[in-house]
Amino acid sequence: AAAKKTEKKEKKEKKGDKPKEVEVRKPTEEEAEVLAAVDKMKKAKEDHESVVHGWKLKLKKRTSKEGKADTFDMQVYAPKGKDTVGALKKQPTSVLNVKRAMGILAPAPPSASAAAAEPDASPPAEAEQPPSEVAPARAALYYYKRSKRSAIAEANPEAAPAELVQMMEQAFEALSEEERAPFEEKAAADLTRYEEEIAAESAARAEKEAEKAAAKAEATARKEAEKEAKKEAKKAEKA
């Protein structure tokens, strides 16, 4: 009995050690629409399958025993390259895992007191580069939606946000090359802007790192020179 109590206590302690998660940033407009679609699908409680901004959403009814309430399995698949943390590797999934895959939800950093109480015994890792402050490049679809959203919403006042997104995506797909051209041009210009700003940011960071390295080397050389000077002074005293 005592062993079981100890085991339960250890499990509770391990559970308590799990880091809390916080929203590290607000969702983008597209991410908010995906999350809204996921929430709506979950509440509808009926078989569902759709694609919103490249995210595949599915809700499948699970076979349940007679007399028991219906249960559903929710499946969400991220566009290629989006789920960098593998949050959606296991299915069925949850809204929290979708947020983790988007990079909205992440473990909270340890408090200063906790960090002081538990010093890290591992060797210091190289400092990670801070996230880029450059706004990402927008696709032609983004500029199309921005120009048509109001008109499509007014024409379909009862449509949900996810439905409006699908309408706009379908309308964009139906455009001819000539009709797409203005939006493609805006996207190309924005990509050029993004590449130029990323290059400038990288150059600025490289320059700052070089200055730090030079200052560190100078400080090291100065210390070595001081050590040598002290050694020479001691030799002179003994002589």
Side-chain angles (χ1 to χ4, degrees):
K4 284 184 179 180
K5 284 183 180 179
T6 304
E7 189 178 344
K8 285 182 180 179
K9 186 178 179 182
E10 287 176 355
K11 283 182 179 179
K12 283 183 180 179
E13 287 175 353
K14 284 180 181 178
K15 191 175 181 181
D17 290 340
K18 189 176 180 181
K20 292 182 179 179
E21 291 181 304
V22 293
E23 288 196 0
V24 294
R25 63 173 178 81
K26 291 183 179 180
T28 63
E29 184 181 346
E30 289 186 359
E31 289 170 343
E33 289 170 352
V34 173
L35 291 171
V38 170
D39 188 57
K40 183 183 177 184
M41 175 182 70
K42 185 180 176 183
K43 289 177 180 177
K45 293 185 178 180
E46 58 184 23
D47 286 347
H48 175 91
E49 188 169 344
S50 64
V51 178
V52 181
H53 294 307
W55 292 74
K56 295 180 182 178
L57 317 180
K58 292 182 181 180
L59 195 69
K60 291 185 177 181
K61 184 178 177 180
R62 190 192 304 170
T63 305
S64 55
K65 294 181 180 179
E66 190 176 347
K68 289 193 175 183
D70 292 335
T71 54
F72 292 83
D73 289 332
M74 183 171 72
Q75 299 175 4
V76 180
Y77 299 92
K80 189 176 181 181
K82 286 285 185 181
D83 186 9
T84 56
V85 297
L88 300 174
K89 192 174 182 180
K90 292 183 179 180
Q91 298 288 345
T93 191
S94 64
V95 176
L96 290 179
N97 278 337
V98 177
K99 288 186 176 181
R100 291 181 185 114
M102 290 177 172
I104 297 170
L105 199 65
S111 61
S113 57
E118 298 180 11
D120 188 4
S122 59
E126 290 185 10
E128 292 184 4
Q129 286 287 349
S132 174
E133 295 180 0
V134 177
R138 302 288 189 178
L141 177 59
Y142 168 81
Y143 292 101
Y144 175 79
K145 287 195 298 183
R146 196 168 69 170
S147 66
K148 301 295 182 181
R149 180 181 295 276
S150 298
I152 292 176
E154 286 176 8
N156 302 274
E158 296 181 3
E163 291 171 334
L164 289 174
V165 170
Q166 286 185 327
M167 288 178 189
M168 287 185 284
E169 289 179 349
Q170 289 169 359
F172 181 75
E173 290 298 325
L175 294 178
S176 65
E177 289 187 10
E178 188 178 348
E179 290 170 326
R180 282 194 191 195
F183 308 107
E184 296 286 359
E185 287 173 5
K186 288 182 179 180
D190 195 38
L191 179 60
T192 300
R193 183 272 312 163
Y194 172 76
E195 291 173 343
E196 289 175 351
E197 290 183 10
I198 281 289
E201 184 182 64
S202 298
R205 287 180 177 179
E207 186 178 352
K208 186 176 284 188
E209 288 300 320
E211 289 175 357
K212 284 183 181 179
K216 188 176 180 180
E218 186 180 346
T220 302
R222 187 167 57 250
K223 285 181 181 180
E224 291 296 326
E226 288 173 357
K227 283 182 182 179
E228 288 298 322
K230 286 179 181 179
K231 284 181 182 180
E232 293 298 326
K234 283 182 181 180
K235 285 181 183 179
E237 286 176 4
K238 287 180 181 180

mmCIF file of all heavy atoms in Angstrom, residues 108-124:
data_model
loop_
_atom_site.group_PDB
_atom_site.id
_atom_site.type_symbol
_atom_site.label_atom_id
_atom_site.label_comp_id
_atom_site.label_asym_id
_atom_site.label_seq_id
_atom_site.Cartn_x
_atom_site.Cartn_y
_atom_site.Cartn_z
ATOM 1 N N ALA A 108 5.684 28.036 -21.610
ATOM 2 C CA ALA A 108 6.035 29.326 -21.011
ATOM 3 C C ALA A 108 7.489 29.280 -20.558
ATOM 4 O O ALA A 108 7.956 28.255 -20.060
ATOM 5 C CB ALA A 108 5.126 29.628 -19.832
ATOM 6 N N PRO A 109 8.245 30.375 -20.721
ATOM 7 C CA PRO A 109 9.636 30.386 -20.253
ATOM 8 C C PRO A 109 9.675 30.311 -18.737
ATOM 9 O O PRO A 109 8.774 30.810 -18.057
ATOM 10 C CB PRO A 109 10.164 31.743 -20.756
ATOM 11 C CG PRO A 109 8.940 32.584 -20.931
ATOM 12 C CD PRO A 109 7.841 31.647 -21.321
ATOM 13 N N PRO A 110 10.705 29.660 -18.127
ATOM 14 C CA PRO A 110 10.778 29.566 -16.666
ATOM 15 C C PRO A 110 10.946 30.934 -16.038
ATOM 16 O O PRO A 110 11.546 31.830 -16.623
ATOM 17 C CB PRO A 110 12.011 28.687 -16.434
ATOM 18 C CG PRO A 110 12.832 28.865 -17.672
ATOM 19 C CD PRO A 110 11.853 29.057 -18.785
ATOM 20 N N SER A 111 10.399 31.097 -14.835
ATOM 21 C CA SER A 111 10.517 32.376 -14.136
ATOM 22 C C SER A 111 11.961 32.576 -13.708
ATOM 23 O O SER A 111 12.757 31.634 -13.638
ATOM 24 C CB SER A 111 9.609 32.399 -12.908
ATOM 25 O OG SER A 111 9.999 31.378 -12.010
ATOM 26 N N ALA A 112 12.309 33.813 -13.366
ATOM 27 C CA ALA A 112 13.679 34.125 -12.955
ATOM 28 C C ALA A 112 14.055 33.373 -11.683
ATOM 29 O O ALA A 112 15.167 32.877 -11.538
ATOM 30 C CB ALA A 112 13.830 35.632 -12.748
ATOM 31 N N SER A 113 13.089 33.249 -10.734
ATOM 32 C CA SER A 113 13.356 32.564 -9.475
ATOM 33 C C SER A 113 13.596 31.078 -9.704
ATOM 34 O O SER A 113 14.455 30.457 -9.102
ATOM 35 C CB SER A 113 12.187 32.759 -8.503
ATOM 36 O OG SER A 113 10.984 32.290 -9.094
ATOM 37 N N ALA A 114 12.810 30.484 -10.634
ATOM 38 C CA ALA A 114 12.966 29.061 -10.929
ATOM 39 C C ALA A 114 14.306 28.805 -11.599
ATOM 40 O O ALA A 114 14.969 27.812 -11.325
ATOM 41 C CB ALA A 114 11.835 28.590 -11.828
ATOM 42 N N ALA A 115 14.698 29.700 -12.476
ATOM 43 C CA ALA A 115 15.979 29.548 -13.170
ATOM 44 C C ALA A 115 17.141 29.643 -12.192
ATOM 45 O O ALA A 115 18.133 28.932 -12.313
ATOM 46 C CB ALA A 115 16.108 30.603 -14.257
ATOM 47 N N ALA A 116 16.993 30.534 -11.177
ATOM 48 C CA ALA A 116 18.052 30.691 -10.180
ATOM 49 C C ALA A 116 18.121 29.485 -9.261
ATOM 50 O O ALA A 116 19.195 29.058 -8.835
ATOM 51 C CB ALA A 116 17.805 31.962 -9.359
ATOM 52 N N ALA A 117 16.951 28.912 -8.926
ATOM 53 C CA ALA A 117 16.887 27.768 -8.024
ATOM 54 C C ALA A 117 17.419 26.505 -8.685
ATOM 55 O O ALA A 117 17.964 25.630 -8.021
ATOM 56 C CB ALA A 117 15.457 27.543 -7.550
ATOM 57 N N GLU A 118 17.236 26.391 -9.996
ATOM 58 C CA GLU A 118 17.664 25.199 -10.719
ATOM 59 C C GLU A 118 18.613 25.579 -11.848
ATOM 60 O O GLU A 118 18.223 25.696 -13.003
ATOM 61 C CB GLU A 118 16.461 24.459 -11.293
ATOM 62 C CG GLU A 118 15.504 23.974 -10.218
ATOM 63 C CD GLU A 118 14.321 23.250 -10.813
ATOM 64 O OE1 GLU A 118 14.348 22.948 -12.024
ATOM 65 O OE2 GLU A 118 13.366 22.994 -10.081
ATOM 66 N N PRO A 119 19.906 25.800 -11.524
ATOM 67 C CA PRO A 119 20.862 26.181 -12.566
ATOM 68 C C PRO A 119 21.045 25.062 -13.581
ATOM 69 O O PRO A 119 21.009 23.884 -13.238
ATOM 70 C CB PRO A 119 22.163 26.436 -11.776
ATOM 71 C CG PRO A 119 21.989 25.666 -10.503
ATOM 72 C CD PRO A 119 20.522 25.683 -10.195
ATOM 73 N N ASP A 120 21.267 25.442 -14.803
ATOM 74 C CA ASP A 120 21.430 24.474 -15.892
ATOM 75 C C ASP A 120 22.850 23.929 -15.876
ATOM 76 O O ASP A 120 23.822 24.676 -15.980
ATOM 77 C CB ASP A 120 21.144 25.167 -17.230
ATOM 78 C CG ASP A 120 21.106 24.162 -18.371
ATOM 79 O OD1 ASP A 120 21.229 22.956 -18.102
ATOM 80 O OD2 ASP A 120 20.945 24.609 -19.527
ATOM 81 N N ALA A 121 22.969 22.590 -15.713
ATOM 82 C CA ALA A 121 24.276 21.956 -15.637
ATOM 83 C C ALA A 121 24.840 21.652 -17.013
ATOM 84 O O ALA A 121 26.008 21.303 -17.154
ATOM 85 C CB ALA A 121 24.179 20.663 -14.832
ATOM 86 N N SER A 122 24.020 21.763 -18.037
ATOM 87 C CA SER A 122 24.471 21.438 -19.384
ATOM 88 C C SER A 122 25.376 22.533 -19.929
ATOM 89 O O SER A 122 25.309 23.682 -19.487
ATOM 90 C CB SER A 122 23.270 21.261 -20.318
ATOM 91 O OG SER A 122 22.509 22.444 -20.359
ATOM 92 N N PRO A 123 26.247 22.213 -20.880
ATOM 93 C CA PRO A 123 27.148 23.236 -21.441
ATOM 94 C C PRO A 123 26.361 24.312 -22.154
ATOM 95 O O PRO A 123 25.304 24.040 -22.725
ATOM 96 C CB PRO A 123 28.016 22.447 -22.441
ATOM 97 C CG PRO A 123 27.217 21.227 -22.753
ATOM 98 C CD PRO A 123 26.449 20.916 -21.510
ATOM 99 N N PRO A 124 26.837 25.549 -22.088
ATOM 100 C CA PRO A 124 26.082 26.639 -22.724
ATOM 101 C C PRO A 124 25.942 26.446 -24.220
ATOM 102 O O PRO A 124 26.915 26.123 -24.905
ATOM 103 C CB PRO A 124 26.923 27.897 -22.413
ATOM 104 C CG PRO A 124 28.296 27.365 -22.132
ATOM 105 C CD PRO A 124 28.099 26.019 -21.520
#
